[in-house]
Amino acid sequence: MASNFRSYIWDPVLIICQIVLMQCIYYSFLGLWLAGVDSLVHSSRSLDQIFSYEILGFATILGRLSMMAFVLNSLTCALGLWFFIRRGKQCLDFTVTVHFFHMIGCWIYNAHLPSTLSWWLVNVACMALMAVIGEYLCMQTELRAIPVNSGPKSNL
């Protein structure tokens, strides 16, 4: 009898659904974190805060708070990896996929690739944070002891 413990079956529909779910988590929580930042500095909400690479920077308070929102979003997305992906080996894959699609979105929104160093630093740092924390959480769940009930014990 073959063991089915931790078996992985290729399911492209599941993978696509998980990618869409992680994109939804990424943008919805990023929007919530940025709304919180906007309420702190009383600025107007805009898609520029999500997709424009010029917003992220160390020069202005809004740029620094936006970077903080991106970092907090990576922590929230790590929880999303833990709740919905549940496999430590797949955390890096989904993290890179989410950030790759975000880069494509920024490229389309700005009509060229992001060119500021701060945008690349923030996104690479957020990618590393999301992958490491997500993998840590998933590994903690995977490494839990599996209870084995052998029934009533008898003295033979």
Side-chain angles (χ1 to χ4, degrees):
M1 185 169 154
S3 174
N4 288 332
F5 180 71
R6 298 272 188 223
S7 66
Y8 181 74
I9 299 170
W10 172 252
D11 188 2
V13 174
L14 174 67
I15 294 171
I16 290 171
C17 289
Q18 287 175 325
I19 290 171
V20 170
L21 177 65
M22 286 307 299
Q23 287 299 133
C24 291
I25 289 171
Y26 182 82
Y27 286 118
S28 59
F29 279 101
L30 181 59
L32 288 174
W33 286 116
L34 286 171
V37 165
D38 290 339
S39 68
L40 285 175
V41 294
H42 303 294
S43 69
S44 61
R45 293 169 183 87
S46 169
L47 277 179
D48 282 348
Q49 290 177 299
I50 295 174
F51 293 111
S52 179
Y53 61 88
E54 294 160 347
I55 296 288
L56 296 176
F58 296 102
T60 65
I61 188 72
L62 183 61
R64 289 189 296 266
L65 287 174
S66 294
M67 281 195 263
M68 183 185 71
F70 272 86
V71 170
L72 291 172
N73 187 49
S74 66
L75 300 176
T76 312
C77 288
L79 290 174
L81 289 171
W82 182 42
F83 283 124
F84 300 111
I85 306 304
R86 294 213 167 261
R87 296 287 305 244
K89 293 190 323 187
Q90 294 177 336
C91 287
L92 181 62
D93 300 336
F94 281 97
T95 299
V96 170
T97 302
V98 164
H99 283 85
F100 176 75
F101 284 130
H102 177 66
M103 184 189 71
I104 298 297
C106 291
W107 189 358
I108 292 169
Y109 187 81
N110 294 301
H112 52 79
L113 272 173
S115 59
T116 60
L117 181 63
S118 60
W119 186 91
W120 288 101
L121 289 176
V122 166
N123 279 285
V124 167
C126 289
M127 195 181 320
L129 201 60
M130 181 177 160
V132 168
I133 292 174
E135 189 169 334
Y136 174 78
L137 292 171
C138 290
M139 292 299 280
Q140 290 298 314
T141 303
E142 289 176 353
L143 293 176
R144 282 191 192 145
I146 300 170
V148 179
N149 293 333
S150 61
K153 298 191 185 222
S154 62
N155 279 337
L156 294 177

